[in-house]
Amino acid sequence: MPSREQLSTLLHPDGTVLLTVECQQGVVGPDSALPELAKEARSSGALANIARLVAGAHRGGVQVIHAIAERRPDGRGANHNARLFRAAERLPVQQLSGTTAVRVAPPIEVAEEDFVVRRLHGLSPLAGTDVDALLRNLGCRTLVVTGVSANVAVPNTVFDAVNRGYNAVVPADAIAGVPSDYTPALIRNTLALVATITATDDVLACFERPRR
């Protein structure tokens, strides 16, 4: 874990963006297409911590981006080149554009100043979407990555952020995957090698510090 001083430097509001990954009702909500993942996101406290981080970012003047994965009803433009995509096509709940499934899930609140970026393809919010261009235009140097899943989208996001020159910060208690013991193993053996690992309370302390 970094020192409070180190984390405070990394998370200066002028150069920090908080990203929520696939925190949508069809993924982490009560009617999820992936009930085991939704249960883990809630029971682990990750979803509640993401909501706390978003609220703290709003209070502290830190930009928030919500990354949503969705598909057209006709499936045009979607990937079919991996087992994951083919399995998703058969799920009883589909992440269809314009439906409740692709709305940001409570208790996370979306503010007027937030960006909601939607993608129709791929595994990462940063690859082939508006997110990278928005981050650069916002002067982002540090990207705080939260959300699901630790199995696929979260590590993809962290790797893409690092490859693009951003500092990646991961609050370990604000991401979730399945099974429950996979997430700490991923953090310890993979994400800790490329990102700054911290906790929700420590990030909030930086977001909510008095402004000078």
Side-chain angles (χ1 to χ4, degrees):
M1 291 283 188
S3 70
R4 183 62 61 86
E5 184 178 355
Q6 290 171 325
L7 193 61
S8 182
T9 300
L10 268 179
L11 295 178
H12 192 282
D14 292 341
T16 298
V17 173
L18 173 68
L19 181 70
T20 73
V21 178
E22 298 182 20
C23 293
Q24 56 205 71
Q25 294 193 37
V27 176
V28 296
D31 299 318
S32 170
L34 303 164
E36 185 180 0
L37 177 60
K39 180 180 178 181
E40 179 62 24
R42 292 177 179 275
S43 64
S44 68
L47 189 61
N49 284 332
I50 295 165
R52 292 173 60 213
L53 285 165
V54 169
H58 292 158
R59 291 190 296 269
V62 173
Q63 181 66 56
V64 178
I65 299 178
H66 305 279
I68 301 296
E70 59 182 47
R71 58 185 285 119
R72 288 167 47 121
D74 61 11
R76 291 173 65 86
N79 288 67
H80 305 282
N81 58 335
R83 177 184 171 191
L84 175 66
F85 301 124
R86 295 191 294 272
E89 293 173 1
R90 300 191 295 271
L91 291 173
V93 177
Q94 293 289 306
Q95 313 300 316
L96 298 181
S97 302
T99 66
T100 301
V102 296
R103 295 177 185 170
V104 175
I108 300 168
E109 295 188 1
V110 180
E112 185 176 354
E113 63 268 23
D114 294 359
F115 290 99
V116 179
V117 179
R118 303 178 182 277
R119 79 177 196 275
L120 294 170
H121 59 82
L123 299 171
S124 168
L126 268 71
T129 72
D130 289 338
V131 171
D132 185 38
L134 290 172
L135 294 176
R136 296 191 186 281
N137 289 345
L138 291 164
C140 177
R141 294 182 297 278
T142 299
L143 185 65
V144 182
V145 179
T146 69
V148 298
S149 73
N151 304 79
V152 178
V154 168
N156 264 267
T157 304
V158 172
F159 294 149
D160 283 350
V162 173
N163 285 333
R164 286 162 171 77
Y166 302 106
N167 297 306
V169 172
V170 178
D173 53 356
I175 65 171
V178 290
S180 58
D181 60 356
Y182 179 76
T183 301
L186 169 79
I187 292 168
R188 182 174 61 254
N189 296 305
T190 302
L191 297 187
L193 303 177
V194 295
T196 297
I197 307 302
T198 185
T200 293
D201 286 345
D202 293 330
V203 174
L204 286 173
C206 294
F207 283 179
E208 299 176 355
R209 62 192 162 191
R211 296 189 195 182
R212 294 181 180 178

